[in-house]
Amino acid sequence: MELLGLALALFGAALAGGLAGVGSAIGVGIAGESAAGVMSEDPDKFVKCLMLQALPGTQGFYGFIIVFMVMTKLNMFGTPLVVSWLQGLMVFAACMPVALACWFSAISQGKASAAAIQMISKKPDAVGKALVLPAMVETYAVLSLLTSILLLMFGVQLG
Amino acid sequence: MGVAELKKAELYYHKSLQENVARIVQRSGVCQIIESEDEPDARLMEAQAQLAVCEGQEAHLRYLFRALGSHYTDPVSSIGRMLGEKPVFSLDELGELAQETDLKELASSVKTTESKLNELRIEISQLKVTAGVLSNIKDFPYPLSVLREGTQTLKGVLGTFSIAQLDVFREDLAAYSDETELFVAPQKTKDKDVWVVLLYVRAREQEILELCAKDGMTFVDLPVHISETAAGEASKISDRLVECEHEESAILQGLARTADEWMPALQGMSDYWRILRDRYHALATSAATGSTVKTCFWVPAEAVPALRKQVEAVGPAVAFIASDPTEEDHPPTLLKNNAFNRPAEVLTNLYSPPVYGQRDPTSSMAPFFFLFFGMCLGDAGYAIVIASVLWMLFRKYRKIPSGTKNFMNLFCAGAAATFLYGLVTGSFFGDFIDSFPFMAFLRPLKDALLLVDPLKDPVTILGIALLLGVVHLMFGLGVAAYDEFRRGNYADAAGGKISWILFVLGLLLVGGGSAGKLPSFLYIIGVVMAAAGTGLIFWYAGRGEKNVFLKVGLGLYALYGSTAYLGDILSYSRLLALGLGSAVIGSVINLLGKMIVGVPFIGWLLAILLILGGHVFSLAINLLGAFVHAMRLQYVEFFSKFYTGDGVNFTPLKFQTQYVEVFDEI
């Protein structure tokens, strides 16, 4: 049972990386469908569409950042630390903000991006505003990343 | 600096001078035409006829571009064109070319070729279908004329049966055994249907065809001219197919030749007719009497003297009057900033330009944008990459249009900020310097410049980010207060803006003081400020009401608005998160590179590829993030304090070209 703590911590990290990735994949997919529709009319909008499509992709990276930080915290790149199950649970908890908020926010951001792509198909000059609308959603992914980072760095004491 | 001063110009001239005057106005490129509000029949009729000519020519050109464009490889790439790599022509040269070229005839000859090509393609596809059918019955021994004409006593029918139905049909057919002959094509294993030819005695045609239909035969017709045996016809068709394909490729080559020959000229003419269309559109929307034309336009005040000289040189029958815009006018907005702030005009215009006469937010926004961009990207290595790419583009392309140039300069300034921030946070392609022994010579330099490491001490950076947020927001409120003062709205300035500055800063001082991080006299000052701010907020919210309870209620409600400020300030935490994001992703790439070096023989190559590809990817995604989020902090948090936009961009009549660069000497 001495590995239970480590397992819990890794489970949390895996959820952070995995769920955030799932959210981003869905979000980028939704935006991509919209982009393909617009580009079938006007292929010249490729760059603008691509920028908007990429926006919900960042959540996946936020998840990945947390995975990396957990692995560093547990010294996974060297000899892994032995942690109690309670400590493992703490790490698990610290991973949850990113896992949940990135998962759902990426999907919502994908929808906002899809709508913004439709918007630039009608008003190509409004690309500045079109970029800001999906970025509003991202705020909460950023906050969750920050929450997870702070929890990991100051909330969880190992060793 | 800010919004350029515009004059409303009225130009009166004799009708005979319209071409000359319009040409000068368009060449100057500084006049935005104001459409005449008169009835259409009081406008310049001749110009409308000319406008129709231009539009007709453009229609031919659009057709030609569509038809020839796919057969033409443009020597100038679209990126090159965007960066100003365009062949140069004088307007007169293009005019001569346009006069010499009969676009209508060219279009109709291309149209003929195109329809020939289409006919040929239809024939080819029909031949392929017929060849497919014939290949199924290639063993049928008799001439196929038996199907259409038949002989005196015999006739035939071609079709398919599903395999299951064939046996049923055979049984039914047995009743006519000596009056029919059934040819069944050999089947392949995967076929669901089987091809048959049924020969029968002409006298019983109707009965037999009804029987076929009843048993589910699908009848197939062959084209009229098919009369020999299947094998003979198939070889004729394949000969014809070869011929057709030769013809098709000859036509395609012809089209490619036409495209190569004409496209450069067509591109020039397309821009020429566009220029003329814009010009005649300007004239067609001018007011006219029997012999006088009046054209109105907006023109920057500083361009007036030069323009006046040019138009008055046309002749004595030209009068130029420039006046200040009146209350009823809605002038467009032309931004005018110094070299440092000019790149950020792009951002203002992306949001919405200010209404004429209002504040241009560009100069107040620019320094913050660059700082935030730098903090979000935050890597000296990436900054060097961006700067090098831009430097190469600037070197290669010498005539970059001003809009694109501003955009590129925006990233230059952003890269400078990124470089500096990367130095003080010790980030160079992530932790590249610490990761690889061959970079060790840079380590002392990096450590000397390092002020704070976001990976080890994120809270310091978070504090800096939030503090910057407070500065940014308070600056926005200060600008708003200043604007209200200037307009004479003292109550709005004090109650709506300064009150919040006092309140927020006061609370921060109180917070800092009670946490023991600030000297106690600042704590007292903070209490006074917060109290004064609260008092102002209450006074401002309730000043329209007499009822004391309502006054207090409105004041409390206004104070509840402070949560918005809390949200706004927290929003700046993204500066930490995004900066940390680039640093971590960069470090992970380096780590993976270090791991893969261990692979025997090709480890170093894999590592180089992985590190290169990884950092390019990381740069792309972080660049987008840095741009969007630095922009968002301006648009959402900063602009909402003092700026509404709602202006219209100044769009002068000029040589608006897509393919060539046009100059005009008179």
Side-chain angles (χ1 to χ4, degrees):
Chain A
M1 288 301 279
E2 70 200 21
L3 287 178
L4 180 62
L6 199 57
L8 277 172
L10 287 188
F11 187 40
L15 284 180
L19 293 181
V22 166
S24 277
I26 298 177
V28 172
I30 293 172
E33 287 170 17
S34 179
V38 167
M39 270 154 51
S40 67
E41 293 280 319
D42 184 1
D44 293 342
K45 294 216 171 72
F46 176 65
V47 175
K48 285 177 182 170
C49 285
L50 190 69
M51 270 170 29
L52 282 164
Q53 195 200 346
L55 287 179
T58 38
Q59 276 86 341
F61 287 92
Y62 297 157
F64 183 65
I65 289 172
I66 291 304
V67 172
F68 181 76
M69 293 191 77
V70 170
M71 291 177 75
T72 318
K73 181 115 190 157
L74 297 171
N75 200 24
M76 296 290 289
F77 300 108
T79 325
L81 296 178
V82 177
V83 292
S84 72
W85 70 270
L86 213 56
Q87 286 169 323
L89 197 60
M90 285 175 180
V91 174
F92 181 89
C95 291
M96 283 306 106
V98 155
L100 295 174
C102 284
W103 178 16
F104 288 108
S105 74
I107 298 173
S108 300
Q109 199 179 0
K111 289 177 185 161
S113 276
I117 287 169
Q118 294 299 323
M119 176 175 144
I120 60 159
S121 79
K122 298 229 170 82
K123 296 207 181 336
D125 296 336
V127 66
K129 284 163 216 162
L131 278 169
V132 169
L133 297 182
M136 299 298 290
V137 184
E138 181 145 341
T139 304
Y140 305 100
V142 171
L143 283 180
S144 74
L145 171 65
L146 209 62
T147 313
S148 283
I149 290 175
L150 292 177
L151 283 175
L152 266 180
M153 295 194 91
F154 303 103
V156 184
Q157 305 300 333
L158 301 182
Chain B
M1 290 300 143
V3 180
E5 187 194 347
L6 294 186
K7 294 278 185 191
K8 186 177 186 178
E10 290 169 30
L11 198 55
Y12 296 90
Y13 47 94
H14 192 264
K15 242 179 196 173
S16 61
L17 299 174
Q18 50 165 303
E19 293 281 344
N20 284 345
V21 170
R23 186 171 185 172
I24 288 169
V25 167
Q26 187 172 29
R27 188 181 59 158
S28 73
V30 291
C31 308
Q32 176 173 337
I33 305 294
I34 305 170
E35 206 165 303
S36 159
E37 284 163 6
D38 297 330
E39 293 296 308
D41 55 353
R43 296 180 182 179
L44 193 56
M45 301 301 273
E46 296 88 332
Q48 293 179 20
Q50 296 279 15
L51 189 59
V53 172
C54 298
E55 281 166 355
Q57 298 285 18
E58 286 193 294
H60 291 313
L61 281 163
R62 267 196 302 278
Y63 168 74
L64 286 167
F65 276 116
R66 192 183 59 67
L68 297 177
S70 55
H71 303 286
Y72 180 64
T73 18
D74 203 322
V76 185
S77 68
S78 57
I79 291 183
R81 191 159 274 145
M82 211 169 75
L83 293 171
E85 192 191 319
K86 297 174 174 176
V88 183
F89 289 94
S90 84
L91 195 62
D92 291 329
E93 270 178 90
L94 287 177
E96 276 167 33
L97 185 66
Q99 291 309 321
E100 283 166 10
T101 314
D102 189 345
L103 284 175
K104 192 175 170 189
E105 198 188 294
L106 181 65
S108 80
S109 99
V110 172
K111 232 173 239 169
T112 317
T113 317
E114 231 192 6
S115 63
K116 217 187 283 172
L117 183 67
N118 284 338
E119 279 166 24
L120 205 59
R121 283 182 171 158
I122 291 170
E123 190 184 345
I124 289 175
S125 76
Q126 281 171 345
L127 285 173
K128 282 184 174 158
V129 170
T130 312
V133 172
L134 290 179
S135 76
N136 288 311
I137 52 165
K138 60 178 182 293
D139 300 327
F140 182 66
Y142 310 114
L144 291 169
S145 59
V146 76
L147 296 180
R148 187 165 290 276
E149 291 110 26
T151 64
Q152 246 172 350
T153 51
L154 265 184
K155 203 161 179 300
V157 61
L158 168 68
T160 61
F161 275 107
S162 68
I163 288 172
Q165 273 309 105
L166 185 62
D167 294 332
V168 180
F169 181 62
R170 274 201 172 115
E171 273 172 34
D172 290 347
L173 204 60
Y176 304 93
S177 59
D178 52 347
E179 289 164 348
T180 60
E181 180 183 341
L182 183 66
F183 167 83
V184 180
Q187 297 162 36
K188 285 172 228 125
T189 42
K190 280 185 196 159
D191 290 351
K192 285 193 186 126
D193 290 321
V194 55
W195 285 83
V196 299
V197 184
L198 179 65
L199 297 177
Y200 51 83
V201 173
R202 201 183 262 275
R204 312 196 67 162
E205 176 165 27
Q206 195 150 7
E207 289 167 55
I208 289 178
L209 288 185
E210 273 167 17
L211 177 71
C212 293
K214 180 175 80 68
D215 284 346
M217 177 169 178
T218 311
F219 298 102
V220 177
D221 276 332
L222 283 171
V224 195
H225 55 83
I226 301 288
S227 58
E228 295 176 21
T229 58
E233 287 289 350
S235 83
K236 260 162 75 182
I237 285 176
S238 75
D239 290 348
R240 177 63 194 149
L241 261 178
V242 172
E243 242 171 70
C244 284
E245 273 158 9
H246 273 302
E247 266 178 65
E248 186 192 12
S249 73
I251 291 178
L252 285 176
Q253 278 169 9
L255 277 174
R257 263 198 308 278
T258 316
D260 281 341
E261 185 187 344
W262 279 102
M263 279 303 275
L266 291 178
Q267 290 179 339
M269 278 186 270
S270 160
D271 282 344
Y272 175 77
W273 288 112
R274 165 95 195 262
I275 288 171
L276 281 202
R277 168 165 54 93
D278 289 347
R279 179 184 298 178
Y280 288 120
H281 184 263
L283 282 173
T285 53
S286 299
T289 62
S291 56
T292 311
V293 188
K294 172 190 167 195
T295 304
C296 296
F297 49 85
W298 296 110
V299 54
E302 60 180 25
V304 167
L307 185 68
R308 180 191 297 279
K309 222 168 120 189
Q310 285 176 18
V311 289
E312 286 181 349
V314 172
V318 178
F320 181 92
I321 302 165
S323 56
D324 287 322
T326 63
E327 290 279 309
E328 289 133 44
D329 288 323
H330 302 286
T333 308
L334 174 66
L335 298 180
K336 195 176 127 197
N337 282 290
N338 61 23
F340 176 75
N341 291 324
R342 197 172 304 130
E345 282 178 4
V346 176
L347 298 171
T348 306
N349 284 330
L350 274 178
Y351 184 79
S352 177
V355 173
Y356 182 78
Q358 304 267 321
R359 164 182 295 281
D360 171 16
T362 308
S363 55
S364 9
M365 165 185 66
F368 287 106
F369 177 82
F370 297 135
L371 177 64
F372 294 163
F373 182 91
M375 287 182 77
C376 289
L377 191 53
D379 188 287
Y382 292 168
I384 292 173
V385 172
I386 298 171
S388 319
V389 168
L390 289 172
W391 182 73
M392 281 192 310
L393 288 176
F394 275 125
R395 257 186 63 117
K396 185 164 175 211
Y397 299 102
R398 292 293 181 179
K399 294 187 292 187
I400 301 174
S402 65
T404 316
K405 199 179 219 161
N406 275 344
F407 206 69
M408 289 164 71
N409 281 331
L410 185 74
F411 282 97
C412 282
T418 307
F419 184 73
L420 292 178
Y421 187 77
L423 287 188
V424 297
T425 55
S427 184
F428 180 84
F429 294 108
D431 59 353
F432 198 72
I433 294 177
D434 288 327
S435 290
F436 296 95
F438 70 90
M439 294 299 288
F441 69 98
L442 277 176
R443 215 168 285 167
L445 180 67
K446 188 207 83 174
D447 292 339
L449 291 169
L450 180 72
L451 292 180
V452 53
D453 184 348
L455 283 173
K456 296 211 174 75
D457 189 8
V459 172
T460 305
I461 307 265
L462 180 63
I464 293 172
L466 297 183
L467 207 61
L468 278 173
V470 173
V471 172
H472 199 208
L473 292 173
M474 295 307 116
F475 181 62
L477 279 175
V479 171
Y482 174 76
D483 282 351
E484 296 287 8
F485 261 118
R486 236 182 18 168
R487 289 192 210 113
N489 305 331
Y490 302 116
D492 293 329
K497 315 292 176 194
I498 292 175
S499 57
W500 284 107
I501 300 180
L502 288 171
F503 180 74
V504 174
L505 290 182
L507 280 190
L508 283 175
L509 289 179
V510 169
S514 55
K517 300 220 166 138
L518 294 173
S520 58
F521 74 92
L522 283 178
Y523 175 79
I524 297 165
I525 292 177
V527 171
V528 174
M529 280 171 74
T534 315
L536 276 172
I537 291 168
F538 268 82
W539 163 74
Y540 183 67
R543 73 192 189 289
E545 286 295 334
K546 293 227 167 76
N547 185 329
V548 179
F549 291 105
L550 211 56
K551 266 181 192 287
V552 173
L554 284 171
L556 282 174
Y557 182 70
L559 211 55
Y560 178 68
S562 58
T563 51
Y565 284 90
L566 184 69
D568 281 352
I569 293 170
L570 278 180
S571 180
Y572 289 81
S573 63
R574 76 188 65 234
L575 295 175
L576 163 69
L578 289 164
L580 210 57
S582 341
V584 170
I585 293 172
S587 307
V588 172
I589 292 164
N590 295 334
L591 184 75
L592 291 175
K594 267 195 293 189
M595 287 166 148
I596 212 168
V597 164
V599 173
F601 306 118
I602 53 163
W604 58 273
L605 183 67
L606 291 178
I608 289 175
L609 288 178
L610 192 132
I611 288 172
L612 266 182
H615 279 299
V616 166
F617 183 71
S618 159
L619 172 59
I621 193 122
N622 285 306
L623 187 63
L624 177 66
F627 180 72
V628 168
H629 286 280
M631 187 165 84
R632 177 226 135 102
L633 288 175
Q634 311 300 328
Y635 287 180
V636 181
E637 273 77 16
F638 188 53
F639 279 3
S640 63
K641 300 293 167 288
F642 69 98
Y643 180 68
T644 48
D646 294 338
V648 182
N649 267 322
F650 179 71
T651 44
L653 174 67
K654 58 177 181 184
F655 295 158
Q656 182 81 45
T657 63
Q658 190 180 354
Y659 301 103
V660 298
E661 190 183 318
V662 174
F663 69 94
D664 188 16
E665 282 169 346
I666 297 180

